[in-house]
Amino acid sequence: MGRPEKPINASSGAVAAFASELRRLRALAGNPTYRDMARSALYSPSVLSSAASGHRLPTLQVTLAFVAACGGDQEVWRRRWLEVCGDPPPRPPSPPP
C-alpha cells in the first residue's frame, strides 16, 4: 500500500482545484493505485501522482492519460485543462449577419 496523499486546499488556486478534481475522478473510479493506472496510462506512477499533487499543472498528455486510466471523458478534461492554463477552447465561427 502506498503513502497517503497530502491534502489539497482546492480553494488555493486553479491548479490545486484541478488536482483535487483529478483525485475525485480517481476516487470515483474505485481508487486504483498509481501503479495500476500506469499500466494503461503509459506514464510512471510518480508522474501520475504528481499530476494530482496540486503543485503544478500536469501536461495535457499526462492529464488525458490519467483521465483515461480512470475511465473519464477525455474531451471534457481537455477543455478543463485548457481553461486552467488560460487557453480557452476555440469557439465555433459565428454565422454571417
Side-chain angles (χ1 to χ4, degrees):
M1 184 163 152
R3 277 182 259 163
E5 293 182 301
K6 293 181 181 176
I8 295 175
N9 180 356
S11 65
S12 67
V15 171
F18 187 82
S20 182
E21 287 298 311
L22 283 175
R23 286 187 183 184
R24 184 170 172 269
L25 175 66
R26 181 173 166 241
L28 291 171
N31 276 322
T33 66
Y34 287 119
R35 187 178 307 270
D36 288 340
M37 290 171 61
R39 289 186 190 103
S40 63
L42 303 180
Y43 283 95
S44 72
S46 64
V47 167
L48 297 172
S49 174
S50 178
S53 71
H55 296 298
R56 64 178 177 274
L57 186 66
T59 66
L60 178 58
Q61 294 80 7
V62 168
T63 298
L64 296 179
F66 187 110
V67 168
C70 293
D73 184 328
Q74 290 181 305
E75 183 54 29
V76 167
W77 282 88
R78 183 187 72 80
R79 287 193 301 267
R80 284 182 178 181
W81 186 89
L82 289 170
E83 288 171 11
V84 172
C85 79
D87 257 348
R91 294 179 185 217
S94 300

